[in-house]
Amino acid sequence: MSATDLLARSLSKMRALVASGNSRPREASERDIERLRQQLQECAESRGGEVSTRQRAARLAEAYLRLNDAGRRRFLLMIALEFGPDPARVAKAHEAYQAAVGSAGQWDAEARLRGAMRSRRLRILTQFNAIPQGVKFLVDLRADLLRYLPDEPLLKPLDRELENRLTAWFDVGFLELQRITWQSPAALLEKLVQYEAVHEIRSWDDLKNRLDSDRRCYAFFHPRMPLEPLIFVQVALVDALADDVQKLLDINAPLADANRATTAIFYSISATQEGLRGVSFGNFLLKRVVEDLQRDFPKLKTFSTLSPIPGLMSWVRRNPAEAAGVFSDADRKRLMAAGLEGDVESVWTRLSGDGSWAEEKSLARALRDPLLRLAAHYLLNARRDGKPVDPVARFHLGNGARVERLNWLADTSTKGFSQSLGIMVNYLYDPDRIENNVEAFSAEGQVDSAAAVRRMARP
């Protein structure tokens, strides 16, 4: 086994120890920092041959993983501040380029200017990429970087460069779409349980149900991260538009005949790598999955989600007056008759609990219409930078879907009530409208929605 392989194995063990909490992070002494600075300098200058370069990068990666948060922050600040382009070299190259414009030497001068502007940070990052497990290391490193960024704006240049590199390395052309089944490696199945971000996987029986013959699970993988799903989608094959996630997740429900299914419901989409924030490939995942499903199940005609509305209640708390505006005088009278006293703003306090209010039948009936109007107003009218404020809505509408239907008490979990009062939404992917929807949303922020939803969203 080569020295590089030994270092890669050491790096793998160190990552596992850190993840399990069995390795105690260490503080970085001034001597440690100076040693790291010297190693980074050697990386930036590409000293030695290919083998020594990889060994040095692997040692640096292992040293980084051993550091505590303060040490990692200093390490990243060192790269950001000390290994950027040389301003004097850039100025000289720019002056030479300006003098060469219009002459036969313009293009050579341009190449030299590009070379001068190339950051030494990129050389360091590229050398990490070359080591085994180096891609995963850089993804995790950026996750740290994003945590530090709000308090350390000087890290922004490093973040921009690393995001650009990751965007190139994780181009959708390099990714592999794979179906995950109950027969997939146990390590991969454990990752699904760990990374599921929408509806918690509570047991192995729960996971097995989600991978049964009337279900599908697909994920994108990078060749350098073979057991690390980058993003995965769970699909239910049913015969109608779903309006209740509890029914979809019921492990005791009878098995459906997938070959008779007319509707594919995407009920959970989870991005797994925080370090890939800003690297977009979720829309390509859905397109590829639709193509795969259409090939295997020709009777499928409808492709829809059953999605959470994760930002609804946080938006209500920020905008209580606007939210209260959806309640009519008739709504207020019905709420008072159902025993909910006080002004409308006090409604949010009553509804911010565990959802026990939904068990009071008269109160739930009185709340149904105004809360559905509230959800419609939020999805269609609440904006940030000209686009819907809800992150799930931005994702699906940006990919060409339309807001098809709102579903009352579709998610009665504690999370469902706390985020969106138990309301869920179907985003419909109509192949005949996707392209126009994408263009209208991108250019004008225009949201396609069913007539019933538009009527609910009217002031």
Side-chain angles (χ1 to χ4, degrees):
M1 183 178 293
S2 69
T4 302
D5 291 334
L6 287 171
L7 282 168
R9 178 175 291 185
S10 176
L11 182 61
S12 179
K13 289 182 178 179
M14 177 55 59
R15 180 182 288 112
L17 287 171
V18 171
S20 65
N22 293 325
S23 175
R24 185 176 179 181
R26 55 175 289 185
E27 295 184 11
S29 67
E30 291 305 318
R31 183 177 179 181
D32 291 332
I33 293 297
E34 189 54 42
R35 185 183 301 112
L36 291 172
R37 178 179 286 110
Q38 180 63 35
Q39 290 178 313
L40 287 171
Q41 185 67 39
E42 292 172 359
C43 279
E45 295 174 0
S46 301
R47 296 181 189 174
E50 182 178 346
V51 173
S52 61
T53 297
R54 291 187 177 187
Q55 290 177 345
R56 183 170 50 239
R59 284 193 294 269
L60 263 175
E62 185 176 351
Y64 176 84
L65 290 175
R66 292 181 183 275
L67 295 174
N68 62 8
D69 245 25
R72 293 185 182 191
R73 187 182 301 217
R74 288 191 66 180
F75 181 94
L76 294 173
L77 279 169
M78 192 188 311
I79 297 176
L81 299 178
E82 299 180 23
F83 293 92
D86 181 350
R89 186 181 172 208
V90 172
K92 183 177 179 181
H94 182 259
E95 182 180 355
Y97 172 73
Q98 291 289 75
V101 170
S103 71
Q106 176 179 343
W107 311 121
D108 289 337
E110 178 185 325
R112 287 191 290 272
L113 176 58
R114 290 181 185 276
M117 294 179 66
R118 181 176 170 82
S119 166
R120 294 187 298 164
R121 293 184 289 255
L122 283 177
R123 297 178 191 169
I124 296 172
L125 296 177
T126 300
Q127 290 182 34
F128 283 127
N129 180 43
I131 64 176
Q133 301 190 34
V135 173
K136 174 60 175 169
F137 170 77
L138 285 172
V139 171
D140 291 343
L141 182 143
R142 184 163 184 257
D144 287 341
L145 184 59
L146 290 171
R147 286 194 295 111
Y148 306 143
L149 199 54
D151 299 322
E152 296 286 0
L154 292 175
L155 289 172
K156 286 183 179 179
L158 177 59
D159 179 57
R160 282 194 294 266
E161 288 184 333
L162 184 49
E163 181 181 348
N164 287 338
R165 287 290 86 199
L166 291 173
T167 298
W169 293 334
F170 285 84
D171 182 273
V172 68
F174 299 139
L175 304 184
E176 300 171 355
L177 180 70
Q178 295 180 23
R179 180 185 167 196
I180 301 174
T181 72
W182 185 244
Q183 284 70 42
S184 296
L188 177 54
L189 297 182
E190 289 175 354
K191 292 289 175 65
L192 289 190
V193 176
Q194 174 187 346
Y195 288 137
E196 169 59 33
V198 184
H199 303 294
E200 179 185 0
I201 299 175
R202 301 180 181 277
S203 66
W204 286 108
D205 285 340
D206 186 1
L207 177 61
K208 188 174 183 180
N209 180 58
R210 300 188 193 200
L211 300 176
D212 218 327
S213 61
D214 60 347
R215 298 287 188 268
R216 289 293 184 273
C217 181
Y218 296 89
F220 263 151
F221 292 85
H222 191 279
R224 298 283 298 278
M225 295 168 57
L227 288 179
E228 283 284 345
L230 308 178
I231 186 171
F232 62 93
V233 57
Q234 298 176 60
V235 187
L237 303 175
V238 294
D239 58 5
L241 209 60
D243 62 359
D244 187 330
V245 76
Q246 282 77 220
K247 292 180 181 178
L248 288 183
L249 298 178
D250 183 2
I251 63 175
N252 296 313
L255 195 65
D257 184 351
N259 291 313
R260 294 186 177 183
T262 61
T263 304
I265 299 293
F266 307 114
Y267 63 90
S268 178
I269 301 174
S270 298
T272 69
Q273 308 293 321
E274 176 62 20
L276 293 178
R277 187 198 305 173
V279 181
S280 177
F281 35 66
N283 55 336
F284 295 101
L285 173 69
L286 291 182
K287 291 174 183 176
R288 293 277 302 277
V289 168
V290 167
E291 292 172 0
D292 196 84
L293 290 171
Q294 285 179 319
R295 184 187 65 245
D296 292 346
F297 303 99
K299 291 184 179 180
L300 288 176
K301 302 301 180 185
T302 303
F303 298 89
S304 173
T305 76
L306 181 59
S307 297
I309 313 175
L312 178 60
M313 281 305 290
S314 59
W315 176 82
V316 165
R317 286 189 284 271
R318 294 193 306 271
N319 304 276
E322 184 177 350
V326 306
F327 287 81
S328 66
D329 291 339
D331 293 327
R332 291 178 171 87
K333 290 179 181 178
R334 281 191 287 270
L335 290 173
M336 291 181 64
L340 193 61
E341 299 181 355
D343 57 23
V344 172
E345 284 78 357
S346 66
V347 169
W348 312 127
T349 302
R350 175 69 176 82
L351 301 184
S352 294
D354 58 2
S356 58
W357 55 268
E359 298 176 6
E360 302 176 35
K361 301 301 182 183
S362 60
L363 178 57
R365 282 195 300 270
L367 285 167
R368 184 183 187 278
D369 288 347
L371 291 186
L372 287 175
R373 289 201 303 272
L374 172 69
H377 173 79
Y378 168 72
L379 291 174
L380 271 58
N381 300 324
R383 298 296 176 109
R384 183 181 69 240
D385 302 326
K387 302 291 174 63
V389 69
D390 189 83
V392 175
R394 288 170 77 103
F395 174 80
H396 288 296
L397 297 171
N399 289 328
R402 76 167 179 259
V403 184
E404 184 67 11
R405 189 175 71 184
L406 292 167
N407 302 291
W408 176 244
L409 299 184
D411 182 1
T412 55
S413 67
T414 300
K415 182 178 180 181
F417 278 121
S418 65
Q419 289 188 337
S420 59
L421 304 168
I423 301 171
M424 299 187 78
V425 56
N426 298 118
Y427 295 104
L428 184 69
Y429 283 86
D430 182 345
D432 294 333
R433 302 173 68 154
I434 286 177
E435 186 174 342
N436 289 338
N437 286 351
V438 168
E439 292 180 0
F441 184 84
S442 176
E444 305 171 7
Q446 184 175 321
V447 172
D448 188 16
S449 60
V453 178
R454 290 196 298 272
R455 286 194 296 269
M456 281 192 287
R458 290 175 183 169

